[in-house]
Amino acid sequence: MYQITKLYHYYLYCLQYLQNIKRSVFDFLLCLPTSLFALLLIILLFYNGFSVFYIHLPSIPAKISPVPAGKLAVRSDSSSSSSSSSASLHEKLASSVLYAVKEENPPVILKTTTHLTLLHRDNFSTVPINSSLEFKHPKAQKKNTKFKILSSGPQSKKFSVKVKKFLDNSSCKLNFFMTWISSVDSLGVRELFAIESLFKSHPNACLVMVSNSLDSRKGNLIFKPFSDKGFKVIAVRPDFDYLFKNTHAETWFKKLKNGNVDPGLIALGQNLSNLLRLSLLYKFGGIYLDTDVIVLRSFSDLRNTIGAQTLDSETRNWTRLNNAVLIFDQNHPLLLKFIEEFALTFDGNKWGHNGPYLVSRVISRVSGRPGFNFTVLPPSAFYPVDWSRIRSFFQGPGNEKHTKWLHTKLKLIRRQSFTVHLWNRQSKWFQVEEKSILHHLMLDCCVFCNSSLSKSL
């Protein structure tokens, strides 16, 4: 009995000791400053939230490394020659390469309001394909690759006749081509202004818009203001079989329709647009432009030309070309090489593999070889602003330093550049601010200035 009583007293003693420790801990916490106590609570909450919401993300493939560099120069075979005016133009552009590359980042201007919305689009989609298409296992996808975009009807079979008749009867000074494989409703003010700028610099040119959706009554209404002004523009459904005939694309396209080519995760329309522009120029010759390219001046002195997007500031060699602006003669051998590369190395899972990286790969291989006469212009010609800095073109003047940079850059573009690429994917949510670089260029290039600019100023 004595031992039980002793154990009971020992238990009470331990309990009292634990209560004293607990009381001491609370007294210590209450003595801490309020801010430190709150910090401890925040740390506990952060740890709790991290443990609850933590997820494991799958690994992402590494970016494609740039292709080998090539020299920025006019390349031609022994039988070709250039006019003196064209040569002087290339020299002027080449002399400005280092300036374009070494340009410092424009000062960051933070603003809470914007003034112009002309180039802003609420809805932007790359290229919608049949809504029933979802990524499936390759075996299942091979069984059903009847994409809506590949379907052809009686109207598409009239493509060659319609285009040839339009070009022959229109007395075109230059032939321009664009592609639009999205819906009619997704054609916004940005694309329409790109067309405005084209006709402002080339009032006697012809524009062929290759599109299923725009070759319609609604599409005709969209282009009616241009036709009423006397501009020559037509929308026509593509005939892929005609355009790809007698090229490597013909076999590739048959395999695609039969389900023997994996279209990949990237929208098929985007990759078809890369191939379509090459085939259009190979069949007809002329100039291809993306629908987010603003034209600043005439292309009449350019021939068999492609533009560099980036280059090495020390060696003056290009590191990547781009296919948003292409100028080539009919049946040019380089176009055939581009088409061959597309068909033989197609990869629908790598962005840019079938577009900018494709033209870079091919030109790096054929440079210096006889039989290929073409010109690679520096970034200042077609891409005076890189996609990573496109926001600076939408921003209005801020402080004195930024205003000085803006005016200097604007003068440089007006003197050297043929186009400005808006890099839709990166700039689709930006709004054009008043007195920004784009605002000034829009005033320079507009056709329907009163109607298109008054709503946004």
Side-chain angles (χ1 to χ4, degrees), residues 4 7 44 85 94 123 126 131 146 150 162 174 176 203 232 321 346 356 450:
I4 294 175
L7 287 174
L44 291 174
S85 61
N123 297 317
T126 307
S131 59
K146 300 299 181 182
L150 305 182
K162 197 173 180 180
L174 290 173
F176 284 85
K232 296 176 281 288
L321 306 179
F346 176 80
N450 291 334

Side-chain angles (χ1 to χ4, degrees), residues 129-421:
I129 309 176
N130 192 339
S131 59
S132 63
L133 284 177
E134 296 178 357
F135 180 71
K136 302 176 181 178
H137 191 277
K139 291 183 178 180
Q141 199 164 3
K142 285 184 179 181
K143 296 179 181 179
N144 183 19
T145 56
K146 300 299 181 182
F147 299 100
K148 182 179 180 180
I149 196 173
L150 305 182
S151 61
S152 59
Q155 282 185 297
S156 64
K157 296 304 178 184
K158 301 176 183 179
F159 171 84
S160 60
V161 175
K162 197 173 180 180
V163 173
K164 289 178 181 178
K165 183 179 178 180
F166 171 71
L167 297 178
D168 292 341
N169 297 340
S170 300
S171 301
C172 311
K173 295 295 183 181
L174 290 173
N175 298 334
F176 284 85
F177 295 89
M178 291 181 174
T179 62
W180 188 255
I181 316 182
S182 297
S183 65
V184 177
D185 296 331
S186 60
L187 188 80
V189 289
R190 177 174 290 196
E191 292 75 27
L192 291 174
F193 187 80
I195 298 174
E196 273 192 60
S197 68
L198 185 160
F199 283 123
K200 181 64 178 285
S201 299
H202 307 84
N204 297 317
C206 292
L207 171 62
V208 178
M209 178 68 76
V210 181
S211 170
N212 281 322
S213 60
L214 293 175
D215 187 4
S216 60
R217 181 179 300 178
K218 194 170 183 179
N220 293 335
L221 290 175
I222 291 176
F223 293 126
K224 189 177 185 300
F226 294 97
S227 301
D228 291 344
K229 278 270 191 179
F231 300 125
K232 296 176 281 288
V233 57
I234 186 177
V236 57
R237 295 173 183 268
D239 183 350
F240 294 112
D241 293 331
Y242 166 79
L243 287 168
F244 300 158
K245 189 175 182 180
N246 298 327
T247 68
H248 283 79
E250 183 177 15
T251 302
W252 176 86
F253 190 64
K254 288 180 179 178
K255 291 181 179 179
L256 178 68
K257 291 193 293 184
N258 293 331
N260 297 320
V261 172
D262 179 12
L265 295 174
I266 297 173
L268 178 61
Q270 180 177 329
N271 282 318
L272 275 180
S273 177
N274 287 323
L275 179 59
L276 193 56
R277 68 190 67 181
L278 303 175
S279 300
L280 285 167
L281 295 185
Y282 186 71
K283 289 289 184 181
F284 300 102
I287 302 165
Y288 169 82
L289 296 175
D290 272 358
T291 53
D292 62 341
V293 171
I294 306 301
V295 180
L296 305 180
R297 57 195 179 104
S298 175
F299 286 29
S300 57
D301 292 333
L302 300 180
R303 188 178 175 190
N304 299 324
T305 301
I306 191 170
Q309 178 182 329
T310 58
L311 50 81
D312 189 296
S313 60
E314 295 182 0
T315 65
R316 287 192 172 187
N317 292 341
W318 57 265
T319 54
R320 185 188 302 173
L321 306 179
N322 199 287
N323 63 339
V325 180
L326 299 171
I327 308 165
F328 283 98
D329 294 342
Q330 185 180 23
N331 298 324
H332 195 282
L334 186 59
L335 292 172
L336 198 60
K337 281 291 184 182
F338 287 155
I339 296 172
E340 178 183 359
E341 179 76 6
F342 183 99
L344 298 180
T345 68
F346 176 80
D347 189 333
N349 293 312
K350 294 180 181 179
W351 187 93
H353 177 83
N354 311 302
Y357 292 111
L358 182 149
V359 295
S360 301
R361 291 195 304 272
V362 173
I363 288 184
S364 66
R365 291 200 299 262
V366 304
S367 294
R369 290 170 52 182
F372 298 93
N373 61 308
F374 61 91
T375 302
V376 176
L377 294 183
S380 57
F382 302 134
Y383 313 102
V385 58
D386 189 66
W387 64 266
S388 61
R389 299 179 180 177
I390 186 61
R391 189 185 188 96
S392 64
F393 274 40
F394 287 77
Q395 292 176 322
N399 53 41
E400 184 178 351
K401 182 179 179 181
H402 182 260
T403 301
K404 184 178 179 180
W405 172 86
L406 189 151
H407 290 155
T408 302
K409 185 67 175 177
L410 184 61
K411 289 179 181 178
L412 190 68
I413 291 172
R414 283 172 169 163
R415 187 170 66 249
Q416 297 180 343
S417 301
F418 291 91
T419 67
V420 171
H421 191 198

Side-chain angles (χ1 to χ4, degrees), residues 61-76:
K63 293 183 178 179
I64 305 172
S65 58
V67 298
K71 293 183 178 180
L72 268 174
V74 179
R75 307 183 182 92
S76 60

